[in-house]
């Protein structure tokens, strides 16, 4: 693949060093390949991953870093061999933009588990050696396999967060059959991921209980998001009252927290799925063995499942709760993400603010 531009510059916002401060940055997107789609970006969600690589939290940032992997936009050009998209289509691009396309997982459309490693949408190294740059930018060139059709009835501003926050909870919920009406679901943490887990749970016909460390989230969990029950996780009496009552738990919390109290809430053969990244996971073997329980992990999803999720959201009118911001507010937005001061996802209005 060539790393040449497509005849026009791309304007983005990039971090130049570990301060993570973003500012305008011009670069070229690669030349349009025969199976590539050229997307004019209209919106991009803000994810904690943007903080991680803008501020070099993992020590592997490749500056300049253009963050953003919850991308929505409009197809402006297509390569001659593109089958699925045409100019004018609304599309999304998620957390990865390439994979080997040849391993058992790629063949099963689980490209997020590609044996050679899926290529992240930003701060990744593509197979031609170039460093990928994300959606805090005016355009992106992506192989059609890693683009998703957004129905035109679905607002582009709402679409981006589905492609990271949405799929991260939807994928394990489907895999563990958490879409059985009448079953009971616990959701730990009420942020970008947690609020989507609540929405999916209700759409699947589940009875949803939200667990949070803060009583301040009770009203929004019950009234705004439609959860059936709210529990402050430090309230031992409330926790004990739910012993062995839940079929499933989706744990979105990335701060360190005890696991045994949540495991005790699962029925026999219940499943706890971890989608957050606490520094460690500790629980008693008895919590697992005596109830024949399962603890599972999950990250993102494959291309087939992502498209199914987008279609499900459009059909069921499921929209993330977003705060639309201009690109000039992106530094403040990253600070607020760190401070968990967002309900529940920032989305950058690229189309109207990045010029």
């Amino acid at each position: 693949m060539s790393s040449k531009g497509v005849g026009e510059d791309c304007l983005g916002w990039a971090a130049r060093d570990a301060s993570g401060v973003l500012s305008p940055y011009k670069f070229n997107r690669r030349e349009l390949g025969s199976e590539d789609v050229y997307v004019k970006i209209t919106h991009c969600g803000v994810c904690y991953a943007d903080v991680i690589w803008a501020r070099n939290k993992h020590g592997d940032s490749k500056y300049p870093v253009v963050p953003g992997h919850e991308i929505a936009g409009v197809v402006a050009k297509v390569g001659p061999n593109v089958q699925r998209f045409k100019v004018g289509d609304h599309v999304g691009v998620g957390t990865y933009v390439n994979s080997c396309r040849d391993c058992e997982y790629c063949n099963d459309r689980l490209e997020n588990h590609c044996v050679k490693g899926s290529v992240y949408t930003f701060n990744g190294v593509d197979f031609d050696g170039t460093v990928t740059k994300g959606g805090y930018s005016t355009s992106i060139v992506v192989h059609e396999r890693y683009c998703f059709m957004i129905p035109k009835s679905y607002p582009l501003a709402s679409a981006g967060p589905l492609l990271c926050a949405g799929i991260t909870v939807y994928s394990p919920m489907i895999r563990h059959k958490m879409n059985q009406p009448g079953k009971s679901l616990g959701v730990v943490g009420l942020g970008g991921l947690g609020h989507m887990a609540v929405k999916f749970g209700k759409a699947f016909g589940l009875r949803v209980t939200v667990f949070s460390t803060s009583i301040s989230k009770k009203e929004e969990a019950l009234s705004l998001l439609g959860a059936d029950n709210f529990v402050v996780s430090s309230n031992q009496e409330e926790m004990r009252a739910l012993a062995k009552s839940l079929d499933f738990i989706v744990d979105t919390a990335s701060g360190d927290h005890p696991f045994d109290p949540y495991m005790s809430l699962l029925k026999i053969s219940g499943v706890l799925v971890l989608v957050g990244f606490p520094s460690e996971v500790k629980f008693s073997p008895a919590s697992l063995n005596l109830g024949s329980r399962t603890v599972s992990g999950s990250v993102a999803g494959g291309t087939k499942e992502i498209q199914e999720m987008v279609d499900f959201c459009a059909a069921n009118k499921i929209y993330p709760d977003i705060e639309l911001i201009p690109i000039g507010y992106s530094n403040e937005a990253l600070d607020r993400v760190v401070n968990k001061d967002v309900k529940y996802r920032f989305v950058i209005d690229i189309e109207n603010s990045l010029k």
Side-chain angles (χ1 to χ4, degrees):
M1 283 184 226
S2 166
S3 58
K4 292 184 293 186
V6 294
E8 58 185 287
D9 289 337
C10 182
L11 178 61
W13 274 46
R16 271 57 168 208
D17 55 46
S19 71
V21 174
L22 302 166
S23 59
Y25 169 68
K26 274 191 175 177
F27 62 102
N28 282 337
R29 288 295 184 185
R30 72 161 186 254
E31 193 172 47
L32 191 71
S34 62
E35 297 176 348
D36 284 343
V37 176
Y38 177 83
V39 181
K40 293 292 285 184
I41 297 172
T42 60
H43 299 85
C44 186
V46 177
C47 175
Y48 190 73
D50 303 346
V51 174
I52 289 173
W53 283 295
R55 300 183 180 180
N56 201 25
K57 298 290 188 184
H58 288 174
D60 63 352
S61 296
K62 302 166 186 67
Y63 294 106
V65 170
V66 178
H69 63 198
E70 296 184 343
I71 299 167
V74 180
V75 175
K77 304 176 191 176
V78 294
N81 296 338
V82 167
Q83 302 290 317
R84 295 171 47 231
F85 302 99
K86 64 183 185 303
V87 172
D89 283 344
H90 290 186
V91 296
V93 178
T95 60
Y96 54 92
V97 290
N98 214 344
S99 63
C100 79
R101 303 175 214 161
D102 195 39
C103 69
E104 61 175 306
Y105 301 109
C106 284
N107 288 334
D108 285 341
R109 301 290 297 277
L110 295 170
E111 298 90 341
N112 53 314
H113 296 302
C114 174
V115 168
K116 293 184 179 175
S118 55
V119 176
Y120 292 158
T121 300
F122 73 96
N123 199 62
V125 179
D126 211 337
F127 293 113
D128 64 354
T130 57
V131 176
T132 55
K133 293 178 170 53
Y136 292 23
S137 59
T138 50
S139 63
I140 191 167
V141 177
V142 187
H143 187 280
E144 68 169 330
R145 178 169 180 155
Y146 311 96
C147 287
F148 307 99
M149 186 72 81
I150 310 294
K152 288 196 174 172
S153 62
Y154 198 91
L156 281 170
S158 301
L162 299 180
L163 305 175
C164 177
I167 192 59
T168 297
V169 293
Y170 180 90
S171 178
M173 291 176 81
I174 295 297
R175 186 164 67 251
H176 293 286
K177 299 180 172 57
M178 297 186 192
N179 55 347
Q180 304 170 63
K183 295 284 180 104
S184 53
L185 168 72
V187 177
V188 181
L190 196 62
L193 276 65
H195 98 287
M196 289 305 300
V198 174
K199 287 173 184 271
F200 286 134
K202 293 306 295 180
F204 293 147
L206 306 180
R207 179 171 173 80
V208 180
T209 298
V210 170
F211 298 89
S212 176
T213 56
S214 173
I215 188 69
S216 67
K217 295 198 172 181
K218 180 173 184 176
E219 183 64 24
E220 61 205 57
L222 299 176
S223 301
L224 183 65
L225 300 175
D228 301 285
N229 193 13
F230 181 90
V231 172
V232 176
S233 52
S234 58
N235 186 321
Q236 294 183 9
E237 191 177 332
E238 286 186 18
M239 292 286 280
R240 275 196 297 270
L242 290 177
K244 296 184 180 177
S245 69
L246 301 177
D247 296 290
F248 317 111
I249 293 175
V250 175
D251 185 346
T252 72
S254 282
D256 287 337
H257 57 287
F259 283 80
D260 287 303
Y262 293 112
M263 299 283 282
S264 72
L265 306 184
L266 288 170
K267 294 179 182 178
I268 304 304
S269 301
V271 179
L272 183 148
V273 171
L274 179 67
V275 294
F277 283 85
S279 66
E280 64 175 6
V281 176
K282 287 175 71 174
F283 52 84
S284 161
S287 293
L288 198 64
N289 299 344
L290 297 183
S292 296
R293 298 181 178 106
T294 297
V295 174
S296 178
S298 196
V299 63
T303 55
K304 180 172 181 285
E305 197 165 51
I306 293 172
Q307 187 64 62
E308 289 171 358
M309 174 208 59
V310 170
D311 294 342
F312 179 82
C313 288
N316 291 278
K317 295 182 167 53
I318 298 169
Y319 309 106
D321 290 22
I322 64 169
E323 183 175 330
L324 197 62
I325 61 170
I327 188 76
Y329 190 74
S330 54
N331 287 302
E332 290 87 346
L334 292 185
D335 286 337
R336 285 179 57 189
V337 166
V338 171
N339 295 326
K340 299 179 180 168
D341 175 24
V342 54
K343 292 177 183 174
Y344 288 90
R345 209 62 160 184
F346 288 117
V347 173
I348 302 170
D349 185 353
I350 298 289
E351 183 178 37
N352 292 308
S353 65
L354 183 52
K355 299 180 188 297

